[in-house]
Amino acid sequence: MSQEVDNIQPSYPLFRTDEYKENLANKREAYEERHPQETIDEVFQWTTSQEYKELNFNREALTVNPAKACQPLGAVLCALGFEKTLPYVHGSQGCVAYFRTYFNRHFKEPIACVSDSMTEDAAVFGGQKNMFAGLENAKALYKPDMIAVSTTCMAEVIGDDLNAFINNAKKEGHIEQEFPTPFAHTPSFVGSHTTGWDNMFEGIARYFTLNFMEGKEVGSNGKINFVPGFETYLGNFRVIHRMMKEMGVDYSLLSDPTEVLDTPADGQFRMYAGGTTMDEVKDAPNAINTILLQPWQLEKTKKYLNNTWKHETPKLEIPMGLEWTDKLLMTISDLTGKPIPASLEKERGRFVDMMTDSHAWLHGKKFALYGDADFVLGMTKFLLELGAEVTDVLANHANKRWKKACEEILNASPYGQTATVHISKDLWHFRSLVFTNKPDFMIGNSYGKFIQRDTLYKGEEFEVPLIRIGFPIFDRHHLHRMTTLGYEGGMYILTTLVNAVLEQLDKETRGMGTTDYNYDLVR
């Protein structure tokens, strides 16, 4: 065998040795009903054509890689943002294993989350017994101060009632009557991970404030509330903390999983770390106002805050890029009477300087992008500010109002005139788009690497490099610690974009004496 104890190799390059090449060839010959390579290539070429794109966009009964995850995933992330809170999913164990590994691979951290492991008998008789045992065991074993309950498909299909089950568990003494157990129904077959986050947050806010609004007075605590939505860039939580401290604004960040998702390796395991306290949630209706950092993904939360907390939730977009960060800070200044400090003005000036430095390299470059509604809207806005051209924007789970808003932003810029906005489309649709309306780069999560590989297979001149910004990022390390919001986030995105452009230019001009006419040392 070519694998030796003193020279352990990963699958690449191990599987490229003669021994494994022969082994794999024999397996293919003996066991695979493989079409001839000529047929495979013929079909591949057809899938890159305009004819195939039209057929692809007309399909109705199939989704291929939907560019979204399911509701309970978002509910788990929301719950992780509260102090000593254990996410609890009422449903099958396999679903929770998926949620945990999904976050494990993105954050490279252990994820605390439990399931009451519904199986076939629960699908017939209901899962109340599972919840009785699950709540009791989870509280005894993991000692949380709060358990936040969501659901999977199985529980939703059979119609389990979380409110009734939790109340019955308390009546029968499985957990104390006063023990905090907010909940949200999060069926995976509708909505997405962002919907699940929204539902869970509304459930937590409702649990602690709906029946306790007596004596609450808007503005009485002098704070500003921030609701982040489904946010996986830990730097975005930290940049909000930093900017508010520099402004001298008293605030509450409602759901902050930064500490539990970025714990140090110091020999101590932390199942719980940091997070928004229950007291902060209870006091939140007394704030001056609540700012939704991803408003398109927080519609249920917005309705509850407007109707119950009587907060107007200022009309803002996600604070990405220059103009929308300016708008956020000016709105906060107006609400609180706090001036924008010189430190943030200087940071803004540096950001503008960076945009000016890189403008020549980004101007006219074409980008296609996909991801969550607020993220791709903010990215679209920022690309236009940089003078880059947008070809296609895809957000699977966005609605028609979002599509109209995105089109208005594109139409307002000379660099967005030829762009097309797509909703309810998946990454197989996006693959057709990059072949038939080729951009210079695509922006999105790790799943785009397979599209990049397909474009390269057609030929180097057809390759569309992937710039990894979004969620999930599985195949690169530490990007989840970066920042995409505020001036700081704009600097990170700008650095990522322009260096991707320059890296590609070097790649295309490194042929010695053939293509190296623009292989410059200074850019």
Side-chain angles (χ1 to χ4, degrees), residues 133-325:
L135 289 174
E136 185 173 350
N137 290 338
K139 184 174 183 297
L141 285 171
Y142 304 116
K143 298 176 174 53
D145 287 349
M146 177 167 77
I147 294 177
V149 183
S150 54
T151 55
T152 66
C153 293
M154 179 188 289
E156 291 296 329
V157 168
I158 64 177
D160 279 0
D161 185 338
L162 289 184
N163 186 47
F165 285 10
I166 292 170
N167 285 335
N168 290 340
K170 291 183 175 183
K171 287 176 184 177
E172 296 195 16
H174 297 285
I175 53 174
E176 296 85 351
Q177 188 69 37
E178 66 277 6
F179 185 79
T181 48
F183 64 89
H185 285 274
T186 52
S188 300
F189 42 80
V190 294
S192 70
H193 55 287
T194 64
T195 316
W197 199 102
D198 184 25
N199 286 340
M200 189 76 254
F201 183 85
E202 193 265 358
I204 292 172
R206 178 180 295 272
Y207 184 90
F208 286 109
T209 64
L210 179 63
N211 297 319
F212 306 97
M213 290 301 296
E214 186 177 350
K216 298 290 194 294
E217 182 181 349
V218 175
S220 61
N221 69 9
K223 289 185 173 183
I224 295 290
N225 296 326
F226 292 92
V227 180
F230 187 92
E231 177 59 73
T232 57
Y233 279 93
L234 301 182
N236 288 343
F237 298 94
R238 290 168 177 149
V239 79
I240 295 296
H241 285 303
R242 177 178 64 82
M243 291 193 300
M244 293 306 99
K245 287 174 182 175
E246 291 185 27
M247 287 187 70
V249 170
D250 200 3
Y251 67 99
S252 290
L253 184 50
L254 303 179
S255 185
D256 181 1
T258 314
E259 293 301 314
V260 76
L261 294 177
D262 197 15
T263 58
D266 57 3
Q268 177 185 351
F269 171 67
R270 298 165 175 84
M271 176 170 284
Y272 311 108
T276 304
T277 67
M278 286 182 272
D279 286 340
E280 285 182 278
V281 182
K282 294 173 184 177
D283 187 44
N286 291 319
I288 299 168
N289 214 325
T290 300
I291 291 174
L292 308 178
L293 295 176
Q294 299 190 71
W296 288 99
Q297 297 164 193
L298 292 167
E299 292 191 347
K300 193 170 184 179
T301 295
K302 181 179 186 296
K303 184 178 180 180
Y304 180 78
L305 302 187
N306 293 163
N307 295 338
T308 303
W309 291 7
K310 306 304 179 185
H311 288 191
E312 296 177 358
T313 56
K315 185 173 175 53
L316 296 167
E317 300 292 355
I318 185 172
M320 291 177 67
L322 186 65
E323 182 179 339
W324 287 355
T325 300

Side-chain angles (χ1 to χ4, degrees), residues 2 44 58 88 144 198 234 268 291 315 337 341 358 382 387 458 486 513:
S2 54
F44 173 86
N58 284 328
Y88 178 113
D198 184 25
L234 301 182
Q268 177 185 351
I291 291 174
K315 185 173 175 53
S358 300
F382 187 33
K458 187 171 183 177

